[in-house]
Structure formats: structure tokens, C-alpha cells
């Protein structure tokens, strides 16, 4: 793990933009001297944050030697920037064991879990299984919102599916 030596916002911005320009799936946009926006090409999701909120930017490698950037925020939150996705921690949800989820999730995981919910509804799965899937979905959704993604549209997916099921 290599720590950036200069803790200035300028160094954070440089580290972020240099890394993102090497990735096929992320784009970085400097909004002004203090704010940056990172766009995920795969699902068109964007987060933005103030560089003054960043406590550290770390260059790291995964188990396969692939580089990624870890951005730590002063609030204790963190994101991981990989070649194509922005990773974050799922949020705690009452009745859900977070140890059974990956430590890092991404917004495309919402699609996978939602499709599993649709399948469970279509196959008339047990209430317990459906409730667990909904908790996983809400955990990923809340985790994404906590780090700055606008997931209002995805929040509506579950409501619409459950409403359609109730009226069917």
C-alpha cells in the first residue's frame, strides 16, 4: 500500500485523475478547485465529493495484482475505484448479517439482486427468502447513497415491484 506523501487537495486530485484516466470504465471531471465528480460508464452513475472531505488517497492492488485507488473520507467512509466500478461498503440493515455479503459492493449489484427478487416473486419463493433479498437490496442501496450516489430511481424499483405484486 503506497500512501500519497503530500496530503493537499491538489495531490488528491492529481492521484484521482491520473488513475481514472487509465481506466476504461470511469471518468473524472473536476467541477472546481475543491470538487470532483467520478462517473461510472457501465450504469451511468456518478458521485461527487469535495476534496476537503478526503483524508487519504491510497494506491493499492487487488489479489490479482490489478491496481485500484482507495479514497478515505474524514467521516470514516471510503470508496474503491477500480478499472470500471466504484466500490463501497453495504450499509447495515436490521435483520441482515453483513458478514454474509461481500465487504465491497457496487451499484450494478443492485440490478443482480433486483433480478433475483423478480425471480423469487415469479417463482413464489418463501416470504423469508424474499425478505432476505429485499434486505440485501436495501443494504446495497443505502451504502451507495451514503457515499453519494443518487439511487432514487433504484429505490423506486422495489416499491413498483411490490406494488405490482400486491395489485396482481
Amino acid at each position: 500500500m503506497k500512501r500519497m506523501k503530500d496530503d493537499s487537495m491538489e495531490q488528491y486530485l492529481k492521484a484521482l485523475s491520473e488513475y481514472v484516466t487509465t481506466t476504461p470504465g470511469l471518468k473524472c471531471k473536476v467541477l472546481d478547485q475543491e470538487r470532483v465528480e467520478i462517473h461510472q460508464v457501465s450504469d451511468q452513475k456518478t458521485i461527487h465529493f469535495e476534496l476537503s472531505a478526503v483524508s487519504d488517497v491510497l494506491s493499492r492492488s487487488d489479489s490479482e495484482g490489478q491496481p485500484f485507488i482507495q479514497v478515505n473520507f474524514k467521516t470514516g467512509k471510503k470508496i474503491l475505484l477500480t478499472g470500471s466500478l466504484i466500490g463501497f461498503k453495504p450499509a447495515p440493515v436490521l435483520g441482515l448479517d453483513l458478514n454474509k455479503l461481500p465487504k465491497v459492493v457496487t451499484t450494478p449489484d443492485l440490478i443482480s439482486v433486483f433480478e433475483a427478487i423478480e425471480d423469487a416473486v415469479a417463482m413464489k419463493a418463501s416470504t423469508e427468502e424474499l425478505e432476505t433479498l429485499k434486505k440485501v437490496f436495501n443494504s446495497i442501496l443505502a451504502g451507495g447513497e451514503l457515499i453519494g450516489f443518487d439511487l432514487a430511481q433504484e429505490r423506486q424499483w422495489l416499491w413498483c415491484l411490490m406494488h405490482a405484486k400486491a395489485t396482481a
Side-chain angles (χ1 to χ4, degrees):
M1 179 165 33
K2 184 173 79 177
R3 185 176 296 273
M4 300 295 146
K5 291 183 179 173
D6 185 345
D7 286 343
S8 72
M9 290 189 298
E10 185 177 308
Q11 285 299 106
Y12 292 154
L13 179 59
K14 182 179 179 195
L16 290 169
S17 59
E18 282 179 359
Y19 174 76
V20 170
T21 58
T22 69
T23 67
L26 299 177
K27 294 183 180 177
C28 184
K29 181 178 179 182
V30 179
L31 301 174
D32 58 40
Q33 288 184 334
E34 287 203 17
R35 294 183 309 142
V36 65
E37 178 178 278
I38 300 177
H39 179 77
Q40 207 168 247
V41 175
S42 66
D43 63 1
Q44 304 300 307
K45 293 294 178 192
T46 300
I47 64 168
H48 52 86
F49 53 88
E50 292 189 18
L51 291 165
S52 61
V54 174
S55 65
D56 219 346
V57 175
L58 307 169
S59 295
R60 302 183 67 189
S61 296
D62 66 16
S63 59
E64 297 170 6
Q66 295 299 312
F68 68 91
I69 294 285
Q70 178 177 317
V71 180
N72 296 335
F73 295 94
K74 293 175 182 172
T75 60
K77 298 174 194 166
K78 68 176 77 170
I79 58 173
L80 303 179
L81 306 178
T82 69
S84 57
L85 297 168
I86 300 166
F88 52 90
K89 287 183 179 183
V93 169
L94 187 64
L96 179 66
D97 182 359
L98 285 182
N99 293 321
K100 294 186 178 182
L101 295 181
K103 291 186 188 288
V104 177
V105 293
T106 63
T107 54
D109 291 329
L110 287 168
I111 296 167
S112 301
V113 176
F114 184 75
E115 288 172 349
I117 293 170
E118 285 180 315
D119 290 346
V121 168
M123 295 171 50
K124 300 186 189 311
S126 71
T127 303
E128 183 180 329
E129 182 180 345
L130 191 55
E131 286 304 311
T132 298
L133 286 169
K134 287 171 27 181
K135 288 175 184 176
V136 169
F137 183 86
N138 285 323
S139 175
I140 297 169
L141 184 85
E145 289 176 335
L146 282 171
I147 58 109
F149 280 113
D150 176 2
L151 299 172
Q153 180 180 0
E154 288 77 359
R155 186 170 287 285
Q156 291 297 313
W157 293 351
L158 199 52
W159 184 89
C160 290
L161 179 64
M162 294 300 116
H163 183 71
K165 177 187 172 207
T167 59

